[in-house]
Amino acid sequence: QEDGRVCLDIHKMALFRADELLTHSASTSQRLTVDEFLRGWASMLPPDTPLSITMLRGRAVVETRGPQQLVKPFSASLLSRDVKKRFKELFDQQASWKREDLLPYVCDLVGPSGSVDQLLMKHTRVTRSPPVKGQEEVRTYSSRV
């Protein structure tokens, strides 16, 4: 701009900082709870920056260990480009996935004439749970093997 100021995309900056925190926790083998991660992440950004654990899809997963929910780095960019190997890596990491959590890990595998739904139908098994009081049914995806 003419006045010399620079505008940063707060969403991209937040993801950059999340990647830094994930890299640090991986290098120290330290697992942070979701609350610890969100507090640490927020401390790296301007106050009132909107943050959500869902922003980490494709970068990390949340593992439940007893009463704790831990953030574990799990980057889509480090997974195999081979479709079968990719799905094996995904289901080795987690036995079942919600669609919205799985999509960032598989959307780059869809060919020009294919769709994500076709890919999921071919490589996963879908389980539907009945809707609970005003909520939609929940679909989870697991390995066909």
Side-chain angles (χ1 to χ4, degrees):
Q1 294 179 336
E2 290 181 26
D3 62 2
R5 288 188 290 172
V6 176
C7 293
L8 299 175
D9 182 325
I10 195 68
H11 183 76
K12 288 181 181 177
M13 191 166 93
L15 292 176
F16 176 78
R17 292 299 191 183
D19 287 340
E20 286 185 322
L21 190 52
L22 289 166
T23 301
H24 176 72
S25 69
S27 69
T28 60
S29 299
Q30 179 184 9
R31 294 280 174 87
L32 300 174
T33 66
V34 170
D35 289 338
E36 290 169 337
F37 185 89
L38 289 172
R39 278 195 304 272
W41 190 16
S43 74
M44 301 168 82
L45 295 161
D48 302 322
T49 301
L51 299 176
S52 166
I53 205 72
T54 61
M55 293 170 69
L56 300 179
R57 288 180 178 144
R59 289 175 157 73
V61 292
V62 175
E63 287 185 339
T64 302
R65 295 262 173 103
Q68 292 187 317
Q69 289 193 307
L70 304 173
V71 177
K72 178 183 178 185
F74 190 66
S75 177
S77 65
L78 300 178
L79 298 177
S80 174
R81 295 282 307 141
D82 178 79
V83 176
K84 288 183 180 185
K85 286 181 184 175
R86 171 83 59 99
F87 277 99
K88 180 175 180 349
E89 291 168 328
L90 290 166
F91 293 121
D92 284 348
Q93 168 59 41
Q94 195 168 296
S96 66
W97 294 77
K98 290 182 183 174
R99 180 185 174 86
E100 60 270 16
D101 296 329
L102 187 57
L103 289 181
Y105 292 102
V106 299
C107 61
D108 64 320
L109 299 174
V110 178
S113 62
S115 72
V116 172
D117 289 328
Q118 289 171 332
L119 186 71
L120 293 176
M121 199 181 314
K122 182 174 180 180
H123 296 281
T124 66
R125 175 172 288 129
V126 181
T127 305
R128 295 181 176 122
S129 60
V132 180
K133 290 187 182 179
Q135 295 179 358
E136 295 179 19
E137 72 176 6
V138 176
R139 293 181 184 187
T140 55
Y141 296 82
S142 56
S143 176
R144 278 196 171 272
V145 179

